[in-house]
Structure formats: C-alpha cells, structure tokens
Amino acid sequence: MRFASSQEAADAILAGNVRAAARLMRMLDDRIDGATDVLRLLYPHTGRAMVLGITGNPGSGKSTLTARLIGLYRKQGKRVGVLAIDPSSPFSGGAILGDRIRMMEFANDPQVFIRSLATRGALGGLSRSTNDIVHVLDAMGHDVVIIETVGVGQDEIDIVRTADTTVVVLVPGLGDDIQAIKAGILEIADIFVVNKSDLDGADRAVGDLRGLQTLMSEMPDWLPPIVRTVAARNEGVDALAQAIAEHTQFLQTSPASQARAQNRAAFAIGGLVRESVWRSVDTWLRRTDAGRELVAEVTARRVDPYLAAQTALAQTLPNNPQLLP
Ligand SMILES: Nc1nc2c(ncn2[C@@H]2O[C@H](COP(=O)(O)OP(=O)(O)O)[C@@H](O)[C@H]2O)c(=O)[nH]1
Ligand SMILES: [Mg+2]
C-alpha cells in the first residue's frame, strides 16, 4: 500500500484501515520521511483510547493476562490494540513468538490489532516508537490500547509513561521481585497484579506489597490496589478489569491527574527534542570535515569535550531549523 499524500494516509487510518496503519508503522520503524507528517494529522484524533501498560519480569504472565483482557474487552464490544515490546530481543520473531501463538485466537478478529516491537532504538528510541504506535492505534479507533513490556529498567519506565494506567505484574515466591520493584517501578504502578496465585507464596507476596504501599504511586490520592490473578485459568481477570475501570474513573476526576498528564506531555516533547538534537549533532560530528576535526581535537586532548559540545550545538542548530524527521 502506497500513500499518495499524508492526508490520504491519515484519512485511511482514521477510517480504521488496518493495512494503512501497518504501512505507517513500518515507515515509523524505518524513520522514513513523511511518517511524522501523518502522525501530526492523526494527533488531533487521539486521546480517546484507554491506554493500559502491563509490565513485569519475563515469565510473570503478562502475555497470558493480556490475552485474557483482550477477550474480556472484546466481550464488551470494544476494539483492542496491542503493542508487545521486548527490547532485549534483537529479532522480531524470537522472544515474541510465544506471544504470537497466545494471541492467535484473535488473529481473525478485525477488532483486534496486535503489533510487536523488538528493536532497541537509540537514545529514547523505544519510548518514541511506543508513543508513535500508540497514537496510531488510538487514532484508528481502538477503545483500549494495551502496551505489554518486559522488566523494570529505565526504558520500560519511560515506555509506561505513555500509558494512562500501568499494571505491574508480580508472581509469588520471588522476594527479589519486591526488591526489584523498589528500584523505580513503585511510583509508576497504578495497579499491582500478583499473577500465578495458584502457586505457593501468593499471600506472602500480597503481604509484602501491602508493606510497601505507603511508598507507592506518584498520585497522592490513589492507593494502588493489589489484584490476585491466575491468568492461565482466567481467574481474577474481571477483578483486574474492575480495578482498571476504577483507575480510569479516578483519572477523570482527580486534580492530580492533570499535573500528571502535563508531566507526560513535557516528557514526550523533551524526548523528541533530545532525539532530533542528538541526531543532528551526531551527523555533524561524523559526516562533516569540521565535525571530524573537532572529534580529533578532543581525542588529542587539545579541545575539552565541554567546549566541543557547545561548538557542536552552535554549529548544528542554526543549520537545522527543521529538526524533526
Ligand atoms: N501456574 C501459572 N502459570 C501461569 C499463569 N499465567 C501464566 N502462566 C504461565 O507462565 C508462563 C509465562 O507466561 P507469559 O504470559 O508468556 O509471561 P510473560 O513473559 O510475562 O508474557 C507460560 O507458560 C504461562 O502459561 C498462572 O496464573 N499460573
Ligand atoms: Mg510476553
């Protein structure tokens, strides 16, 4: 599918055309010129989807839970978009293959759109791609967009900033898990799930989490609920959906959520600026005589990197009034 114009592409996507959306997503992956123009046309039509982030360690049951939630939302007649991210996998097939199989039951459902993202981008690249794809899924008219992402690193924390509601999935019997979540995911969890509650230690895991609850949440007036699930047997999924709905309701009424939305918008703008500036500077340093000369001077310690950074910025920015790709 080719686009005659950005407007034509945007119109097709807004009409829910799956092929057009898939094509734009490939253009975004490849950072093809013009993709951003389409995103700009789509943006006024975004903000309608409920964006749900699901994060947790590999094997905790995120994909199983995601499949259950898709099933539940489909029963409610909702359109569901899914973005499965596994940044540690350099192969788009690899780690997500199991997920593909799990999601197969929805393969023929035109109201479900599933997309995998397995590339680890440059600085901020992954959260940029996530944002872009979520905007496309939102503009296509999905009522719910689920982002499934692995782990608790900075990349993942940046990614979940895209979500309205973030579910952190833990499993029993992993005391280390509780330690790991202290590392930074506490404040991004809106809901905790103790999945695999059929295994020993579920009570203990819930108890440990309760003990940490005072430290949780960036929202002072929201205490993240703890939901037990057995995703493999579709147990507790209604309760999870209920908790998600309550959080959505909370966001619509809490004064703190406006501040959070503004923080996130600022973060998204900052990410785009960082990426564009870095790309311009990097290109200048590597591709121009003056840039290469400057690098050589710093290498030889005749110029310090602090001055070099200022020089590179001064050389780059005025030449690039159009910074966005
Ligand atoms: N015992 C048990 N196993 C589960 C449960 N949910 C998922 N699993 C299994 O845990 C494994 C990892 O699940 P998966 O959804 O791929 O985890 P992900 O890596 O977090 O996406 C699979 O073999 C699932 O069948 C559960 O509630 N109880
Ligand atoms: Mg998975």
Side-chain angles (χ1 to χ4, degrees), residues 39-62:
L39 281 179
R40 290 190 53 204
L41 292 167
L42 295 180
Y43 192 76
H45 304 274
T46 61
R48 290 182 296 199
M50 189 273 283
V51 183
L52 182 66
I54 299 190
T55 189
N57 286 338
S60 55
K62 298 177 299 296

Side-chain angles (χ1 to χ4, degrees), residues 294 304-316:
L294 185 62
D304 69 76
Y306 310 98
L307 176 62
Q310 286 175 19
T311 308
L313 275 176
Q315 289 299 315
T316 309

Side-chain angles (χ1 to χ4, degrees), residues 57-64 102 148 195-196 198-199 230-232:
N57 286 338
S60 55
K62 298 177 299 296
S63 296
T64 313
R102 211 164 284 113
E148 179 195 333
N195 189 40
K196 306 199 183 184
D198 52 323
L199 303 182
V230 184

Side-chain angles (χ1 to χ4, degrees), residues 34-117:
T36 303
D37 296 335
V38 184
L39 281 179
R40 290 190 53 204
L41 292 167
L42 295 180
Y43 192 76
H45 304 274
T46 61
R48 290 182 296 199
M50 189 273 283
V51 183
L52 182 66
I54 299 190
T55 189
N57 286 338
S60 55
K62 298 177 299 296
S63 296
T64 313
L65 214 48
T66 299
R68 297 305 189 188
L69 285 171
I70 299 172
L72 184 144
Y73 288 126
R74 287 300 299 127
K75 279 207 188 105
Q76 298 175 357
K78 291 178 172 158
R79 294 184 66 184
V80 187
V82 178
L83 174 57
I85 303 171
D86 190 346
S88 59
S89 169
F91 312 106
S92 39
I96 301 180
L97 190 61
D99 297 351
R100 288 240 175 81
I101 293 164
R102 211 164 284 113
M103 307 291 174
M104 276 301 270
E105 60 176 300
F106 307 107
N108 294 318
D109 185 341
Q111 306 298 317
V112 178
F113 186 106
I114 297 170
R115 167 87 186 175
S116 300
L117 192 65

